[in-house]
Amino acid sequence: MRILVSGWFLQHPATGTGQYVGEILRHLPRVRPGWTIGVALPEGWAGPLPEGVEPVRVRLPRLPPDFQKLWFEQIGLPGAAARWRADRLFVPYWAPPLRAPAPVIVTVHDLIPLRFPEYRATLAARLYTALVTAATPGAAHLLTDSEASRQDLLQRLRLPPERVTAVPLGVSERFTPRPDPVEDARVRNRYDLPPAYVLYLGGFDRRKNIETLLAVYTWAQDAIGENFPLVIAGRLPEGSSRLFVDPRPLARAWGLEHVVRTIGPVAEEDKPALYRGASAFLYPSRYEGFGLPVLEAMACGVPVVASEIPALMELAGDAAYLIPPEDARGMAGALIAVLVDTALGRTLRERGIRRAAAFTWIACAQRTAEVMEGSTP
């Protein structure tokens, strides 16, 4: 079988979608060694590809970046599938073409643009969302990351249940609780980390609930702030806006500057040590399709305090302390308990490691391959 994968997000490896397509491309040749696997790439991109994957170049017209992406998805990708004689076209994010020469399998990680109006506030966003929504029923099969997201798809897009499959993501073997003294010390020095800290890593768009993240420390700072400051990792927005929240003005306004530290972007190779060094991981997101940072934290042996929302309840089970996302006081109490009660912290650590071990990229690739095999024109 000849499988062509859209590789647009390989240009953005730090994004969740970029990580997903990279892992699928690494593991798909292992579970189906007899397949011919190609990845459609914008001409000029020259990053490394996994063994067993061949590049299929797509020449882009001279257009603004957003229109180049749209052209790639709707015209360039189907054209490449036809030239390459693909038996299946796999689009690993929500952007199916309206027409394609082969059955299309699409991964819809979440339905954020449909659930949150602020994500489609501009005309361009509304038109793009309308386009991919209209194209979705034409796909042969849809994958999504969790049963919670699957129910979202069935309810909001009114698709036949047999055409939507939940395939959980995996966690890389790099994320391990085993200490690496040299690497851990290097990361601690590189980011000037405190001796003990609570970690947040997960973006700054509105659904991530940055207000509650900081509000937790308005309740918890007297008890734990001095010994366990909040370390916020990731590329900060340039001020707050309709879509993004900058935590720095909130920290100043709420008198939290002495217990909140921002460290900026974190290199992918530094993330395991950053997680391992944390005493707890705090994740108050309002909505997730899966919750990969929670899985990574659990895999690194970090006790997790997170939102009691469907996707995270499904992912973490009893391996995390889950609190409703708007309950900052309750989340503060949970965080204090995890840090002060050593037995509770140890229990969550052990449960998290066991739980994370059930989520592997090889299993994700295997289930994805099975769906591709079962998808017919």
Side-chain angles (χ1 to χ4, degrees):
M1 189 179 295
R2 294 173 65 83
I3 307 295
L4 183 63
V5 181
S6 172
W8 182 270
F9 271 90
L10 286 179
Q11 304 170 101
H12 308 284
T15 64
T17 302
Q19 293 174 47
Y20 171 71
V21 66
E23 294 290 355
I24 288 292
L25 287 172
R26 274 187 282 275
H27 290 87
L28 205 53
R30 294 172 57 188
V31 300
R32 293 296 185 273
W35 286 7
T36 301
I37 300 169
V39 56
L41 297 163
E43 197 170 67
W45 186 82
L49 292 177
E51 185 177 350
V53 176
E54 63 180 71
V56 179
R57 300 295 177 182
V58 178
R59 179 174 295 178
L60 299 178
R62 293 183 181 275
L63 293 168
D66 287 348
F67 287 98
Q68 281 193 335
K69 179 174 177 290
L70 181 62
W71 188 95
F72 177 88
E73 294 162 354
Q74 296 297 325
I75 299 174
L77 186 60
R83 292 192 305 275
W84 196 71
R85 303 188 307 280
D87 297 308
R88 300 288 188 274
L89 177 58
F90 179 43
V91 183
Y93 65 106
W94 193 24
L98 282 164
R99 299 182 64 184
V104 178
I105 294 88
V106 183
T107 299
V108 183
H109 297 285
D110 52 57
L111 288 179
I112 290 169
L114 295 185
R115 291 191 58 126
F116 298 92
E118 58 266 34
Y119 287 82
R120 57 179 195 276
T122 66
L123 177 60
R126 289 195 296 273
L127 291 174
Y128 185 83
T129 301
L131 173 62
V132 298
T133 301
T136 296
H141 207 95
L142 272 69
L143 303 177
T144 191
D145 302 341
S146 63
E147 185 59 32
S149 282
R150 180 175 180 270
Q151 292 304 318
D152 258 2
L153 265 66
L154 295 179
Q155 178 183 352
R156 293 176 183 271
L157 300 181
R158 294 184 173 87
L159 298 167
E162 64 273 12
R163 287 175 54 199
V164 185
T165 301
V167 179
L169 307 184
V171 63
S172 170
E173 296 86 352
R174 298 183 298 113
F175 295 94
T176 170
R178 293 187 298 276
D180 182 334
V182 173
E183 180 67 8
D184 294 353
R186 182 189 68 78
V187 170
R188 186 174 294 277
N189 291 333
R190 178 175 183 179
Y191 298 98
D192 190 24
L193 297 170
Y197 56 92
V198 172
L199 177 65
Y200 171 77
L201 173 63
F204 301 95
D205 53 307
R206 289 282 173 180
R207 70 184 172 91
K208 295 298 186 178
N209 203 11
I210 299 302
E211 298 93 341
T212 293
L213 177 75
L214 293 176
V216 166
Y217 263 71
T218 66
W219 292 98
Q221 63 172 319
D222 290 343
I224 62 169
E226 183 176 339
N227 294 321
F228 301 98
L230 175 63
V231 169
I232 298 176
R235 185 179 301 280
L236 293 162
E238 297 179 0
S240 296
S241 64
R242 183 185 67 254
L243 284 181
F244 296 97
V245 176
D246 186 338
R248 293 168 293 186
L250 286 177
R252 288 192 296 269
W254 293 350
L256 298 173
E257 289 177 287
H258 63 297
V259 293
V260 174
R261 182 180 301 184
T262 57
I263 63 172
V266 176
E268 282 299 311
E269 63 270 21
D270 294 342
K271 285 182 179 179
L274 180 66
Y275 281 119
R276 277 196 300 270
S279 301
F281 184 69
L282 182 58
Y283 199 74
S285 177
R286 293 187 179 98
Y287 174 79
E288 294 290 327
F290 183 74
L292 195 56
V294 168
L295 179 60
E296 292 171 347
M298 292 193 302
C300 289
V302 184
V304 172
V305 176
S307 299
E308 191 178 37
I309 56 176
L312 296 186
M313 293 165 65
E314 181 181 339
L315 170 62
D318 66 353
Y321 205 145
L322 303 180
I323 302 291
E326 306 305 330
D327 185 2
R329 185 173 66 172
M331 206 166 282
L335 182 61
I336 293 168
V338 165
L339 294 172
V340 173
D341 185 338
T342 55
L344 174 61
R346 184 171 59 252
T347 296
L348 289 180
R349 168 185 165 84
E350 292 170 353
R351 288 179 180 175
I353 293 170
R354 288 197 300 270
R355 182 73 175 173
F359 296 86
T360 67
W361 284 114
I362 198 75
C364 179
Q366 172 65 33
R367 189 70 187 96
T368 300
E370 291 169 358
V371 169
M372 290 178 179
E373 288 168 331
S375 300
T376 55

